[in-house]
Amino acid sequence: MGGWAIAVHGGAGVDPNLPTQRQEEAKQLLTRCLNLGISALRSSLSAIDVVELVVRELESDPLFNSGRGSALTEKGTVEMEASIMDGPKRRCGAVSGLTTVKNPVSLARLVMDKSPHSYLAFSGAEEFARQQGVEMVDNEYFVTEENLGMLKLAKEANAIVFDYRIPALGLETCSAGAGAAIDNGLQMNGLPISIYAPE
Amino acid sequence: TVGCVVVDSQGRCAAATSTGGLMNKMTGRIGDSPLIGSGTYACNLCGVSCTGEGEAIIRGTLARDVAAVMEYKGLGLQEAVDYVVRERLDEGKAGMIAVSNNGEVAYGFNTTGMFRGCATDDGFMEVGIWE
């Protein structure tokens, strides 16, 4: 049996022109979350408690696409989703379509621990959140100025913002921001690549 | 999208993933992150969290496939991650992090970079963005 191990991610697909300062901010957040998880592991918290603790921290920081700082829908609102799974007995919980739950991963954990189901979504998930007394905030809490700017770019490019596979062309890329992928005939899911743009 | 995978000192694995989805997405769209077996999976062998182009991750049942190739092909953790990223994504773009029940940590991605960090009990720690 080996010792403990932990990994965190903040999303795949990074703007190739991401300013160095933003890269440093991202590394500092990842380091902070790793250290949070490491001290919890050293205090003998179980793996399921540590993953929830670390993802809550990532959701609360607006830097990455989750919780506060989430990507915006075509209507400029936030709809969040999360899941959690405990290896030993393969128990799991998931939520989708959340608009007011401050930490979606903790509601997913409650679905796993306190409901007879493994997945709740939209109004049912929000109702369950109220019953469980989790912290709830207005949808505006999750919306950031930067993401409003990115949504505007995505709409101008008529794109569903995905990740950076083709460095943005034409549209200036804002930090960790959007740009339109050039249409080079590449297909994705049977659709022209141009509908996907860098995240 | 953000995620965390952990194996504790008793060899128990766990995984969690959370996201706002895609910018400019249709309301009501569900991606891979909440789908057990696609964006998130954990069992006795490993814990996996994925990120990237959700539709490709769903079609490839990416997170479960890491556990499956470990279980049925006997691959090690990093081999399994590399295999799944290389063979299961078609033209999709994604990344993932994973831990195994014997204290290993691994990641893989075919996108332009991935924000990730990992650490193990023996003092190893790495935070990175690019290849």
Side-chain angles (χ1 to χ4, degrees):
Chain A
M1 176 98 67
W4 55 257
I6 181 172
V8 295
H9 73 74
V14 183
D15 175 353
N17 309 305
L18 188 65
T20 310
Q21 175 245 334
R22 287 304 299 266
Q23 293 184 40
E24 282 315 307
E25 278 175 26
K27 288 182 177 177
Q28 283 163 26
L29 174 56
L30 291 166
T31 304
R32 187 173 92 224
C33 290
L34 275 182
N35 287 326
L36 180 67
I38 290 167
S39 51
L41 283 163
R42 287 185 172 141
S43 313
S44 301
L45 248 65
S46 65
I48 190 71
D49 290 336
V50 176
V51 295
E52 181 188 358
L53 177 74
V54 170
V55 170
R56 281 177 64 93
E57 185 72 15
L58 287 161
E59 288 173 338
S60 302
D61 192 297
L63 194 71
F64 292 134
N65 171 16
S66 72
R68 186 156 139 64
S70 282
L72 304 179
T73 68
E74 58 191 354
K75 297 193 169 73
T77 59
V78 161
E79 283 185 1
M80 301 168 286
E81 46 198 18
S83 61
I84 191 167
M85 189 160 189
D86 190 12
K89 292 192 173 61
R90 281 186 294 165
R91 297 181 310 125
C92 57
V95 289
S96 278
L98 300 186
T99 57
T100 61
V101 173
K102 189 165 181 284
N103 287 104
V105 73
S106 290
L107 192 64
R109 175 77 189 267
L110 287 168
V111 169
M112 179 174 88
D113 290 341
K114 304 274 194 228
S115 95
H117 304 308
S118 57
Y119 195 164
L120 289 175
F122 297 96
S123 57
E126 302 268 352
E127 175 54 32
F128 179 66
R130 276 186 288 276
Q131 289 165 12
Q132 294 297 321
V134 302
E135 188 174 0
M136 301 177 86
V137 293
D138 288 339
N139 197 256
E140 288 73 35
Y141 161 82
F142 302 104
V143 179
T144 61
E145 280 309 309
E146 179 179 340
N147 281 343
L148 286 170
M150 277 177 55
L151 177 62
K152 184 167 171 291
L153 275 176
K155 283 187 176 301
E156 284 162 7
N158 190 25
I160 296 168
V161 181
F162 159 43
D163 80 345
Y164 273 88
R165 69 187 64 201
I166 302 160
L169 187 74
L171 287 170
E172 78 287 352
T173 50
C174 54
S175 48
I182 46 181
D183 187 356
N184 59 7
L186 189 61
Q187 293 287 310
M188 157 54 71
N189 289 347
L191 296 171
I193 196 75
S194 56
I195 76 155
Y196 292 100
E199 181 169 23
Chain B
T1 304
V2 300
C4 180
V5 291
V6 168
V7 56
D8 60 28
S9 44
Q10 295 175 51
R12 296 173 301 192
C13 297
T17 312
S18 180
T19 189
L22 296 177
M23 191 66 77
N24 200 23
K25 68 181 178 182
M26 294 168 67
T27 50
R29 179 241 183 209
I30 287 177
D32 63 285
S33 300
L35 301 184
I36 296 298
S38 290
T40 302
Y41 189 74
C43 60
N44 282 321
L45 270 179
C46 64
V48 185
S49 173
C50 300
T51 172
E53 202 260 330
E55 282 65 11
I57 294 169
I58 293 169
R59 288 177 23 248
T61 62
L62 228 58
R64 166 61 197 157
D65 254 39
V66 172
V69 294
M70 289 180 78
E71 195 173 339
Y72 301 121
K73 290 169 76 86
L75 300 191
L77 184 70
Q78 187 63 60
E79 282 178 292
V81 166
D82 293 343
Y83 178 88
V84 168
V85 169
R86 193 175 58 243
E87 303 295 335
R88 285 289 181 274
L89 275 169
D90 306 330
E91 293 145 14
K93 296 288 181 182
M96 62 171 71
I97 55 174
V99 291
S100 71
N101 62 358
N102 50 32
E104 298 165 299
V105 67
Y107 60 83
F109 56 92
N110 67 356
T111 52
T112 316
M114 176 167 83
F115 294 111
R116 81 273 175 184
C118 37
T120 54
D121 192 10
D122 57 6
F124 166 76
M125 186 162 174
E126 175 199 290
V127 171
I129 298 176
W130 311 111
E131 285 295 340

